Amino acid sequence: MSERAAPFYCPYCGDEDLRPSEGRPDTPRGAGAPWECHACNRAFTLSFLGLLASGLRPEDGPEGEQTS
């Protein structure tokens, strides 16, 4: 598994012109991978928060909808 997750599009404008950013030197390791969108000139980070403990319950249908 790679250390850097690669986004497919900008979360702000939806464009695909993304490049890895150097980020700030004072950013702690694991705080998120910095990316730059050259279409809207924004910078953002990606980070993995963790796995969900419960997941889908047996009574849930597709997309978490309740089935009756």
Side-chain angles (χ1 to χ4, degrees):
M1 181 175 194
S2 70
E3 191 170 309
R4 180 180 289 248
F8 295 108
Y9 56 88
C10 173
Y12 298 100
C13 71
D15 201 89
E16 297 176 356
D17 189 11
L18 302 176
R19 299 175 193 164
S21 176
E22 294 297 320
R24 296 180 5 204
D26 60 340
T27 303
R29 183 172 172 83
W35 289 87
E36 299 173 357
C37 176
H38 286 255
C40 68
N41 204 31
R42 288 186 169 108
F44 58 93
T45 60
L46 298 177
S47 63
F48 177 71
L49 297 177
L51 297 173
L52 299 176
S54 61
L56 288 175
R57 296 182 304 265
E59 65 271 7
D60 289 347
E63 303 296 323
E65 297 172 4
Q66 292 287 330
T67 57
S68 302

